[in-house]
Amino acid sequence: MSAPTTTLGASGYPRTWQRYTSGQRLLRFALYLLVVLAIVQAIRHVEVIPEFLYDAPEQMADLLGRMWPIDWAYYPEGVHAALMETLHIATLGTILSVILAVPVGLLAANNLTPNRLINQLARLILVSSRSVNSLVWALLFIAIFGPGALAGTLAIGFRSIGFVGKLVGEAIEEAHRGPVEALTATGASSSAVLWYGYWPQIRPAFWSIVLLRWDINVRESAVLGLVGAGGIGMALDTALNLFQWDRVALVLAAIFAVVIVAEVIITQARKRIL
């Protein structure tokens, strides 16, 4: 905290300048105290067992020893099909989320939807989608449709609605009013204003949102199989249950490779297309 400095005011009397007022300093101290108390309280309830911490390096070394050498020969038989299914789940789930999220995002934008009730309802839908984890969505759709890729695709789609819709709505709200007002003044219809006034402005942001969400969905769909929602997660779950650690290492290596490739594709697409 900077020390107070004394200067001469316009009347010639000394005037002391401080960075924070007394109330601001008290509020900052209270916030720092609350953060420290929250950390201490969290540590108290985590229940860390010291014996497990001391034994962790030895257990990790033993686990890595069981994973090596990796069973590469198992890839064509048990991993490739599941890996392709994971990519299909991520891609179809992203497309589904865009189809469902764009209308909700339009309704959530204040400058497009002046009706406060409809606007708040759309925002509630977006918040509800983001508040439920993809694994929970997967469990819900497994209970309805049974285990498999369909449940995983729907889980990815419904989980992504909140992300895509929120960012699309914010991009529309930040669009410049000039082109929109010019089109409105010429008597253009609402669809024409949306297509020619808003879309050219939000197009780069829209494709960035879609590409980013697909990248995230590739990562999330890789673990949905742990609850039976298809994809490479099911191969991982099977290998874990059978203690086939060399195949577990193979599945983890495949997931890591796919994530890296997806990251490269997204980066290049943003550079060359956007």
Side-chain angles (χ1 to χ4, degrees):
M1 182 180 298
S2 59
T5 59
T6 302
T7 60
L8 293 178
S11 60
Y13 293 100
R15 183 173 57 186
T16 302
W17 177 87
Q18 292 181 334
R19 184 176 181 181
Y20 301 107
T21 64
S22 299
Q24 289 175 331
R25 290 198 299 271
L26 181 61
L27 179 60
R28 287 166 61 87
F29 175 77
L31 290 176
Y32 291 148
L33 181 61
L34 287 175
V35 170
V36 172
L37 291 176
I39 294 174
V40 172
Q41 196 71 7
I43 293 175
R44 289 180 56 189
H45 286 80
V46 166
E47 298 182 0
V48 177
I49 302 177
E51 290 77 10
F52 288 176
L53 290 179
Y54 301 148
D55 193 40
E58 181 179 349
Q59 295 295 333
M60 179 63 69
D62 178 67
L63 182 61
L64 293 177
R66 295 170 184 267
M67 289 183 173
W68 188 264
I70 299 176
D71 186 9
W72 298 108
Y74 182 67
Y75 178 84
E77 173 189 350
V79 176
H80 180 75
L83 188 61
M84 293 300 103
E85 186 175 64
T86 295
L87 294 176
H88 297 330
I89 290 173
T91 303
L92 292 176
T94 303
I95 295 173
L96 175 63
S97 70
V98 171
I99 294 174
L100 297 177
V102 168
V104 182
L106 296 178
L107 295 176
N110 290 321
N111 51 349
L112 282 183
T113 309
N115 189 305
R116 185 172 181 81
L117 178 60
I118 297 177
N119 187 265
Q120 293 300 321
L121 179 60
R123 292 176 181 271
L124 177 62
I125 294 173
L126 298 179
V127 172
S128 301
S129 169
R130 297 198 308 275
S131 63
V132 180
N133 189 271
S134 56
L135 289 175
V136 178
W137 279 116
L139 290 171
L140 174 63
F141 287 116
I142 286 173
I144 298 173
F145 300 104
L150 176 60
T153 302
L154 293 175
I156 289 294
F158 277 77
R159 166 66 171 171
S160 304
I161 290 175
F163 180 93
V164 176
K166 176 179 173 58
L167 294 183
V168 168
E170 290 179 351
I172 293 174
E173 290 178 345
E174 294 172 0
H176 296 293
R177 291 291 303 169
V180 176
E181 291 175 353
L183 287 167
T184 304
T186 61
S189 62
S190 299
S191 59
V193 171
L194 185 62
W195 183 252
Y196 295 104
Y198 286 104
W199 172 245
Q201 298 188 62
I202 71 169
R203 180 170 51 198
F206 174 80
W207 290 116
S208 294
I209 294 167
V210 173
L211 291 173
L212 175 60
R213 190 63 220 185
W214 179 78
D215 184 28
I216 296 172
N217 287 341
V218 170
R219 305 162 195 259
E220 290 196 355
S221 60
V223 299
L224 293 183
L226 295 176
V227 295
I232 198 171
M234 297 186 70
L236 177 62
D237 185 54
T238 300
L240 286 171
N241 291 333
L242 297 177
F243 302 105
Q244 297 171 332
W245 299 109
D246 52 349
R247 295 183 177 181
V248 170
L250 173 64
V251 173
L252 294 178
I255 294 174
F256 178 76
V258 167
V259 169
I260 294 298
V261 171
E263 184 69 25
V264 172
I265 292 174
I266 295 300
T267 303
Q268 294 301 317
R270 288 174 60 88
K271 288 181 180 180
R272 300 178 184 274
I273 300 175
L274 304 179

